[in-house]
Amino acid sequence: MTFDDGKGSDAGSMVGDVGERRGEAGILPPGSPRISATGTALLRAMDRLEFVVDVETRALETHHDIDLDETNRRKSQILLELSRLMKVVDQEPMERQVIDRMSGVRQKLARNHAVLELNLRAMNEVAEIVAASIRAEDSDGTYNPAGHLKGSAR
């Protein structure tokens, strides 16, 4: 799975979703009060973060290949942008729409974290099995509590 325009990947349906939210009118529900430029920038950054997190989570859940280095780079850039925007927010009130949206993003990040943790645990278990298998193959049994030697020597 990639982050391009979605052509030929499972991410295509999500690209359309993000594209439909362009501009303040697409970000806010109909009839919502206008929000500040900072609020709009925060919502757009959260759109991008949600997209990256959704692609990563979906790829991990469906066992598709994903470039985790690229994913982490994108998430880091967006989180840096969000932290810079939050410094501005400290000086002006944050709109209700932005606060509500942060809650949704937080839930997606928690789900992504759980999926990443599950995959990491699975990889560690496989690594332990492989390491134990290599140790058993390399051992001649000298230090085995049962004292068994491999092969017919003894």
Side-chain angles (χ1 to χ4, degrees), residues 7-154:
K7 292 176 184 165
S9 78
D10 292 340
S13 62
M14 289 189 299
V15 173
D17 294 344
V18 172
E20 292 167 8
R21 290 185 263 193
R22 301 258 186 249
E24 186 177 312
I27 293 174
L28 298 175
S32 296
R34 293 185 54 83
I35 62 171
S36 67
T38 304
T40 301
L42 281 166
L43 290 172
R44 287 187 176 141
M46 285 186 277
D47 275 346
R48 290 191 307 279
L49 181 60
E50 278 186 318
F51 173 76
V52 172
V53 168
D54 285 345
V55 169
E56 180 183 47
T57 303
R58 184 179 295 161
L60 292 170
E61 288 176 334
T62 59
H63 309 291
H64 283 91
D65 290 338
I66 187 166
D67 184 348
L68 291 175
D69 289 334
E70 176 66 11
T71 302
N72 287 331
R73 186 187 66 73
R74 286 175 179 261
K75 286 192 292 188
S76 294
Q77 286 177 336
I78 297 166
L79 291 172
L80 175 62
E81 180 183 353
L82 284 169
S83 70
R84 288 178 178 163
L85 287 167
M86 291 306 289
K87 289 179 184 174
V88 175
V89 169
D90 287 343
Q91 299 168 6
E92 53 185 63
M94 192 180 311
E95 290 91 348
R96 183 86 231 148
Q97 298 93 328
V98 175
I99 294 169
D100 292 344
R101 184 69 185 285
M102 282 182 175
S103 176
V105 171
R106 187 174 291 126
Q107 290 173 354
K108 286 188 177 199
L109 287 169
R111 181 172 163 247
N112 178 261
H113 179 265
V115 171
L116 281 167
E117 190 172 43
L118 180 66
N119 277 270
L120 184 59
R121 271 187 282 156
M123 289 186 330
N124 283 334
E125 287 178 22
V126 169
E128 287 175 16
I129 291 168
V130 169
S133 176
I134 291 170
R135 280 192 303 274
E137 186 64 32
D138 288 343
S139 174
D140 65 0
T142 304
Y143 300 106
N144 188 337
H148 297 291
L149 289 177
K150 205 173 183 186
S152 59
R154 200 173 231 239

